[in-house]
Amino acid sequence: MSESYKEAFEKTRSAGIIAAGALDEVAKIAHPGTRTDEIDKLCYEFINDHGAYSAPLFYRGFPKSCCTSTNHVVCHGIPSEKVLKEGDIVNVDVTALKDGWHGDTSRTFEIGEVSIKAKKLVKTTHDAMMKAIKIVKEDIHLGDIGDIIQSHVEAEGFSVVQDFCGHGIGQIFHKEPNILHYGKKGTGEKIKAGMIFTIEPMINIGNYETKTLNDGWTAVTKDKSLSAQFEHTVGVTKDGYEIFTLPKN
Ligand code: MF3
Ligand code: CO
Ligand code: CO
């Protein structure tokens, strides 16, 4: 690995392991009866106990340490006294800031038994993210990432959210480039070894359109259809990629 980005990769790896570890713990309490603010507390404490800081807390005024986005909430749901119930899906999005570097990851959890349709949405969203990650290497175009996600998702009859995107990440939480989850192969800038960014598709059962609630954060599907999301922080190498936020199991 080139000396020039070894440090960036090492530090992002450390932050990513903590963020993923927090989600491994969330998995253990993602059951009917759990309140979303209990998930928030767990994330806050896990990240602190590992010598890191929860980057979402007070980020542009965000009041909590993670985002909990349930059912038709697309992203940026605010943890609250809301109780998770059988059949819900909930995305938990955490970002650890360790030694000046960020690791950002999210997973959608199924609460108890969920509908066949919800299961298909969650699987399709995860598959789309992984398919995109697997093509990452130096010199592919950003549009290749969007294209592979959009093609997979639309073939399953679902839609790709356009109002939110992945992002470059490093010592800054959200930086260039924007990583669109839709697009055309061969378009957009070519990526370079050493780049670090997130891929975090938000996929809806119904229409792709979203709106933001009056709290200024919670984004929901306009048609109230279910929405799922997964996110990894990924580093680009000459011949491939490294995922910094893999689950332990
Ligand atoms: N973690 C989210 C992302 O994937 C950003 C959350 S910002 C917050 O980019 F302020 F809503 F927490
Ligand atoms: Co992100
Ligand atoms: Co995130």
Side-chain angles (χ1 to χ4, degrees):
M1 183 180 299
S2 155
E3 277 306 310
S4 59
Y5 58 81
K6 192 163 173 270
E7 183 196 351
F9 272 40
E10 277 171 6
K11 294 203 162 151
T12 303
R13 196 176 296 133
S14 302
I17 287 169
I18 296 168
L23 292 181
D24 291 342
E25 291 305 308
V26 169
K28 298 176 187 167
I29 64 162
H31 302 307
T34 297
R35 290 198 329 251
T36 55
D37 60 7
E38 296 177 82
I39 291 174
D40 179 68
K41 182 166 184 280
L42 187 157
C43 291
Y44 175 83
E45 286 173 356
F46 184 93
I47 289 170
N48 264 283
D49 289 349
H50 288 79
Y53 184 81
S54 274
L57 187 58
F58 308 135
Y59 177 79
R60 297 187 181 171
F62 190 78
K64 296 285 184 181
S65 290
C66 66
C67 300
T68 51
S69 303
T70 311
N71 297 332
H72 72 297
V73 178
V74 172
C75 63
H76 302 162
I78 302 173
S80 69
E81 291 175 4
K82 181 186 171 65
V83 177
L84 296 172
K85 60 178 196 310
E86 180 94 19
D88 284 345
I89 59 171
V90 61
N91 176 274
V92 180
D93 191 337
V94 300
T95 309
L97 171 58
K98 168 85 173 167
D99 206 6
W101 292 75
H102 294 81
D104 188 7
T105 184
S106 84
R107 298 178 205 156
T108 296
F109 298 96
E110 298 175 7
I111 304 303
E113 274 305 309
V114 306
S115 70
I116 290 169
K117 198 77 192 260
K119 250 193 197 324
K120 181 182 163 189
L121 174 68
V122 172
K123 180 180 184 323
T124 300
T125 306
H126 188 260
D127 288 349
M129 174 187 68
M130 292 311 299
K131 265 183 126 165
I133 291 172
K134 285 178 180 153
I135 64 163
V136 167
K137 63 174 183 192
E138 178 153 86
D139 284 340
I140 69 156
H141 292 265
L142 282 179
D144 302 350
I145 292 173
D147 181 68
I148 199 164
I149 292 170
Q150 186 175 20
S151 303
H152 182 77
V153 165
E154 291 182 355
E156 298 294 334
F158 300 139
S159 69
V160 178
V161 168
Q162 302 193 359
D163 294 336
F164 302 93
C165 56
H167 49 93
I169 186 168
Q171 289 176 288
I172 295 171
F173 190 175
H174 294 105
K175 55 182 257 186
E176 79 301 330
N178 284 338
I179 309 294
L180 304 186
H181 302 115
Y182 60 94
K184 295 247 172 308
K185 207 166 153 41
T187 66
E189 76 176 85
K190 279 187 178 178
I191 64 176
K192 293 276 155 267
M195 284 176 76
I196 299 173
F197 52 76
T198 71
I199 300 181
E200 50 178 302
M202 284 141 275
I203 306 303
N204 301 346
I205 284 186
N207 186 272
Y208 66 89
E209 290 175 298
T210 75
K211 64 175 185 190
T212 300
L213 300 185
N214 286 335
D215 62 19
W217 284 105
T218 311
V220 300
T221 55
K222 263 194 183 164
D223 64 6
K224 305 247 173 54
S225 70
L226 286 184
S227 186
Q229 180 179 25
F230 284 86
E231 174 176 27
H232 275 313
T233 297
V234 174
V236 182
T237 63
K238 283 251 176 272
D239 47 13
Y241 60 88
E242 175 171 346
I243 302 176
F244 296 114
T245 45
L246 283 174
K248 269 228 177 66
N249 299 305

